[in-house]
Amino acid sequence: MQQSRQAVSGADGHRKGCFVLSGKIVIVGGRPLRGELPVYGAKNSVLPILAAAVLTSGASVIKNCPALSDVGASLNILKYLGCGVTFADRTVTVNADAACGGPIPDGLMREMRSSIIFLGALLGRFGSAELSAPGGCEIGLRPIDLHLDALREMGARIEESHGRILCSCPRGLRGAELSLSFPSVGATENILLAACAAEGTTRIYNAAKEPEIEDLAAFLIKAGADITGAGSAEIVIRGGKPLTGCEHTVIPDRIAAGSYLAAGAITGGSVTVVGAEAKHLRTVLPIFRAAGCEVTELARGIRIEAPERLTAVKYIRTMPYPGFPTDLQAPLCACLCTAKGTSIIRETIFENRYKHIAALTRLGADISLESGCAVIRGVDSLTGADVEAEDLRGGFALLLAALAAEGRTTVRHTAHIERGYENVCAVLQAAGAQIAKE
Ligand code: UD1
């Protein structure tokens, strides 16, 4: 979906100079990775589940939470709203009993890309919400027209002014029949949250089917919500049920898992990604196999054994789940830089998600953008260089290329990477990588 039907205004210029431009990692490449790399709870599940906790009374205990800066940013928003929050040993407890509404300051919203997910929860709990529009970001426009249109259908009044969104529902939220023109993950999540608090039944047609949607629904169902069909294209929510805090263990992060499998693949290594769920990677594992890797599904994770040199993969196209995930496009792009032959990748979800290509080229990759596709002509070897991460997954792709490159690579602006990979240096070091934060 290259163009939004209506882009929400919002400034992005002030991201320059903010925390994501900090951090530096130095890698000396050329060592095959061996050993075990752990994955924890999915970032893209935890963030909406933390927002959902605002709708519950009493304490919710959320287990397998990764220690990521995006999780920290969500917890800061919850604390600002007056929730009791603790985070220790990958377990978050949230008690929203004393929470009160009110505008969420711009600074808190901008610490995390997905903070728009608080919209549905706040409307549901307080009947009003005020927060900043996401505006553009490193991977392209992040429009929210589908979120806002759906909430309007449910009775919300929404004004947009100076990059802020002001929502209220003077007569309360009511269930609605909603057809999404695209199966947006964020819109499906916001609707789920608002619909739990709405009077009556909400049906979402063409809903997103990502495992993280099912996980959010699983949390809400445990809390008392009446939801059927999550994980399919049609979700039914019978709203108005009281929600009480519950205990939930977040599903493993399929994107971190795919990224660490890529680290094994690009270095010609053999690693086990412990905690990975193969059933969430059904369109990803065949790509590694096509590239010449042996991939074994184990009870405790996924093992990959890579050949010395990967083989090119004819064509990868990013698609909504269960298609190949946009979040693994950049990591796979890095893997294929040194594969034998030419690979083609087409990004269909975010128009601007090719920023890693320029940096990969500096490491010696031969990639061109042709008619919206990345054409990757595999080179014999990559060489270390000084590069900058432009976004989370693109940043990880640079670490991958650096692990395979001859010599020393410095990756700057690595705070992007810490948004989605817990202790990335320590994890890769334990598998034999020469990598350190500076
Ligand atoms: C997207 C990914 C998700 C990934 C996340 C983080 C898809 C379908 N979604 O979720 O898997 O984990 O990024 O990288 O792959 N759009 C609109 N209007 C809207 C909402 C979205 O036009 O109101 C468009 C977007 O511009 C984009 C597409 O729909 O082209 C996908 O958006 P959406 O699924 O909502 O994005 P995220 O929730 O961020």
Side-chain angles (χ1 to χ4, degrees):
M1 193 180 190
Q2 301 290 342
Q3 294 291 322
S4 72
R5 288 188 288 122
Q6 164 210 331
V8 172
S9 61
D12 186 44
H14 41 134
R15 288 203 70 76
K16 292 283 172 220
C18 72
F19 83 104
V20 287
L21 300 188
S22 64
K24 180 167 130 187
I25 292 178
V26 176
I27 300 127
V28 178
R31 298 176 167 210
L33 296 196
R34 306 209 183 281
E36 299 194 338
L37 297 96
V39 290
Y40 305 107
K43 169 176 93 78
N44 294 335
S45 273
V46 176
L47 304 182
I49 288 172
L50 289 174
V54 170
L55 291 169
T56 65
S57 61
S60 286
V61 179
I62 302 150
K63 297 186 167 174
N64 201 25
C65 272
L68 301 170
S69 54
D70 268 10
V71 172
S74 284
L75 299 184
N76 285 342
I77 293 178
L78 289 171
K79 283 182 202 157
Y80 178 84
L81 291 168
C83 299
V85 173
T86 64
F87 187 13
D89 301 328
R90 297 212 172 77
T91 301
V92 171
T93 58
V94 182
N95 189 325
D97 284 348
C100 36
I104 302 185
D106 206 42
L108 278 179
M109 286 293 289
R110 291 199 175 269
E111 272 181 36
M112 179 183 65
R113 221 55 37 76
S114 343
S115 44
I116 193 66
I117 194 58
F118 277 91
L119 186 56
L122 293 180
L123 257 188
R125 167 82 189 262
F126 304 112
S128 66
E130 186 191 323
L131 34 75
S132 350
C137 77
E138 294 82 4
I139 61 173
L141 269 179
R142 285 273 171 118
I144 53 165
D145 54 311
L146 300 175
H147 307 227
L148 302 188
D149 287 351
L151 294 173
R152 282 192 182 102
E153 290 279 317
M154 298 176 76
R157 269 198 214 146
I158 303 176
E159 281 172 49
E160 295 166 55
S161 156
H162 299 94
R164 299 283 289 173
I165 302 171
L166 291 84
C167 283
S168 61
C169 41
R171 293 203 202 114
L173 289 169
R174 51 172 192 268
E177 299 267 314
L178 302 167
S179 286
L180 295 179
S181 59
F182 182 85
S184 155
V185 175
T188 304
E189 290 166 346
N190 255 327
I191 297 167
L192 264 175
L193 296 177
C196 283
E199 276 308 312
T201 299
T202 298
R203 277 198 172 73
I204 317 175
Y205 300 105
N206 197 26
K209 295 184 267 195
E210 269 71 356
E212 293 78 17
I213 300 281
E214 259 188 281
D215 205 30
L216 171 62
F219 169 81
L220 289 165
I221 291 167
K222 279 185 204 159
D226 183 345
I227 300 172
T228 49
S232 78
E234 188 178 329
I235 305 179
V236 181
I237 307 111
R238 291 173 192 83
K241 309 277 184 286
L243 302 186
T244 32
C246 60
E247 192 178 302
H248 182 75
T249 301
V250 177
I251 58 167
D253 195 316
R254 65 193 164 100
I255 305 301
S259 303
Y260 288 139
L261 290 172
I266 196 171
T267 60
S270 61
V271 301
T272 302
V273 181
V274 176
E277 274 276 12
K279 71 175 183 205
H280 295 154
L281 290 161
R282 285 288 167 233
T283 47
V284 175
L285 301 184
I287 303 283
F288 287 115
R289 291 190 177 110
C293 300
E294 202 171 300
V295 180
T296 317
E297 297 174 23
L298 310 168
R300 62 196 201 95
I302 304 173
R303 178 161 183 77
I304 191 163
E305 285 165 81
E308 213 168 288
R309 186 169 183 191
L310 297 175
T311 309
V313 173
K314 244 188 239 159
Y315 186 61
I316 300 175
R317 183 165 63 140
T318 64
M319 294 286 281
Y321 190 84
F324 187 90
T326 175
D327 282 349
L328 285 176
Q329 181 257 114
L332 259 291
C333 185
C335 279
L336 296 170
C337 286
T338 50
K340 200 162 192 279
T342 299
S343 309
I344 296 179
I345 300 186
R346 179 183 287 278
E347 170 62 56
T348 74
I349 309 292
F350 292 109
E351 73 277 9
N352 205 11
R353 211 168 194 181
Y354 285 124
K355 287 193 176 170
H356 46 283
I357 288 177
L360 289 173
T361 307
R362 294 194 59 190
L363 287 151
D366 180 357
I367 311 176
S368 53
L369 268 180
E370 294 173 25
S371 313
C373 289
V375 179
I376 308 155
R377 293 169 205 86
V379 293
D380 290 342
S381 62
L382 298 172
T383 36
D386 270 21
V387 287
E388 288 177 1
E390 300 259 9
D391 63 75
L392 163 59
R393 307 301 170 186
F396 191 85
L398 301 186
L399 296 189
L400 288 174
L403 289 172
E406 287 165 13
R408 183 185 153 103
T409 297
T410 303
V411 183
R412 291 171 211 278
H413 303 173
T414 50
H416 282 299
I417 301 170
E418 282 158 33
R419 291 183 38 233
Y421 298 92
E422 181 179 324
N423 277 333
V424 68
C425 288
V427 168
L428 293 169
Q429 250 167 29
Q434 202 174 330
I435 180 169
K437 242 175 157 175
E438 278 198 354

